[in-house]
Amino acid sequence: MTNSTMQIVAVLFLLVVFMANALVRRRAQAAQRPLPALDALPTLASQSIEGYQPLHVAVSQVALGNRETVLALVGAEFIYESARMVALGDAPMLVSVSDPTILPLARDALRRGYRRHKQRTFLSVRWYPTALGLAAAVSALQRDDRVTGSVFFGEYGAELALPLAAAARHRQPTIAASARLEGQAVAFALADGCLLGEELFAAAGYLSQDSGQINRTTTIDVLRWLVIVGVVVWFIAARITGA
Amino acid sequence: MRLRLNVVLTSTVVTAVGLIVLIGLLVGEDLGLLTQLVNALPFRALAEIALRLAVVAAALTLLIGVLNLLLVNATRLLRGSTLSAKLGSLVVLAAFLVTIFARLADSSGASYRLLQDGVLLPVQASLSGLVLLALVWGAMRLLARGVTWARVLFVLAVLVVLVSALPFGAPLAEAQAWLWRVPVSGGARGILIGIALATLVVGWRVLIGQDRSYGE
């Protein structure tokens, strides 16, 4: 495929995304699919408030300024929604990140979450360099800092097994979401709740019940069905023509 | 009112810079009228300036990260909730100071390399070994938490892959190859396409100002 063909395909695909997004905005709000992993988050927040112990969110291997930028923004939404829940009772919250570019974003999300309920803000954001470093540090942190439970979000690989196993040993609840397949497999095996595939992009809508965020999830679902139909039509056409 | 103005300003800056960079990078030299239009306006120059600014900002965050590391661990050392938290932070701060000293005192970098090869790499290797143990323990614990069809399928797939790798597991090798070729490959592609689509939608919505995960 030549460069110009790639450019045209990219522009056309952006147009399809634009149209799908515009169409979904005009339609009545669709019901969201159940995400059991996220149903546990309000309970975790309540336990955090009752015990005055921090809820911990660890964001790994996402950074601003590279291909994970969008995932970083989604991670910030997740931190905001968690902080909003915890701030209902003035409980602290703890955020660990593996990339320094996320530090300002995470602090801003925490600040906004606490300010939403006009609460005292807890801007406890920690940087642990490298994915393995974060995994090792978080494994110890969960017990040392007496966290209520942990939420893992980002591009985790097999190293996610370290903090999840540590949390399971200490009987601390965990929710894990990774954009990488290895991380998803580990999360499925070890976490109490896990988000698979594009479910991690649906978290903000599911937690906030905000119509804009729910529309975003619906747009993703519409596009996914378009891709499925496209693949099936392509397959049938290839069978018929013998190409 | 101040809050609303803040939102409008941040959204305008994000949308303007995002669209300029997108157009500057996406539209190449052989797209006819679109290329002429982009070349006539300073899209490419502005996109380059925005990207350079992003690189400088990212470099600055590294300094913020180092300051954060020192401040967080110093605070934890003084006011940590447990003794192990205080000890952990003490080790981090001591390691930081030793590494900085090794780098400054020895211009040849031999001490620094010694620290890297003698401490950092073995620790990382042992942590990687622990990952394997944690994974095995996780697989054992999976069915103890409750039996569902998804968990049974997961454990069966893991067993097929592990047994087929053994010398006497040759009869399962074909099953393993099929597992990789058909369900694993298809499922993996499906998940990755889903994530790519979601990334595209969120990226687009950020560009047009519908999603704002910043400021307020």
Side-chain angles (χ1 to χ4, degrees), chain A residues 21 25 125 144 189 191 212 216, chain B residues 68 82 84 145 205 210-211 215:
Chain A
N21 191 43
R25 278 187 80 185
V125 184
D144 291 349
R216 183 175 85 185
Chain B
N68 173 279
T82 56
S84 52
R145 278 164 38 208
R205 286 173 63 94
Q210 276 182 2
D211 278 0

Side-chain angles (χ1 to χ4, degrees), chain A residues 4 7 13 18 21 25 100-101 103 108 112 125-127 144-145 158 168 179 181 184 186 189-191 201 212 216 223, chain B residues 26 28 30-31 61 65 68-69 76 81-82 84 131 135 138 142 145 188 195 198 200-201 204-205 210-211 213 215:
Chain A
S4 50
Q7 287 161 28
F13 210 83
F18 172 72
N21 191 43
R25 278 187 80 185
T101 57
L103 281 170
D108 179 56
R112 285 188 295 125
V125 184
R126 298 174 182 182
W127 175 51
D144 291 349
D145 289 24
L181 294 171
Q184 288 178 27
V186 172
L190 280 162
F201 293 85
R216 183 175 85 185
L223 283 171
Chain B
L26 192 66
D30 43 5
L31 283 182
T61 58
N68 173 279
L69 193 81
R76 206 160 165 248
S81 51
T82 56
S84 52
V131 168
L135 282 172
L142 186 64
R145 278 164 38 208
I195 291 173
L200 205 63
V201 171
W204 178 254
R205 286 173 63 94
Q210 276 182 2
D211 278 0
S213 353

Side-chain angles (χ1 to χ4, degrees), chain A residues 160-171:
Chain A
L160 180 60
L162 288 176
L164 286 180
R169 277 200 310 277
H170 303 132
R171 298 182 191 285

Side-chain angles (χ1 to χ4, degrees), chain A residues 41 43-58 82-83 86-87 89-96 110 114 122-126 141-151 172-173, chain B residues 76 81-82:
Chain A
L41 197 63
T43 314
L44 269 181
S46 306
Q47 286 170 354
S48 176
I49 292 165
E50 283 166 18
Y52 198 71
Q53 288 178 312
L55 174 68
H56 174 233
V57 178
S82 308
V86 170
D90 195 21
M93 201 172 141
L94 188 60
V95 178
S96 312
L110 272 182
Y114 277 101
F122 295 90
L123 299 178
S124 188
V125 184
R126 298 174 182 182
L141 171 156
Q142 293 176 113
R143 193 187 59 177
D144 291 349
D145 289 24
R146 293 179 176 144
V147 302
T148 314
S150 296
V151 180
Q172 287 173 331
Chain B
R76 206 160 165 248
S81 51
T82 56

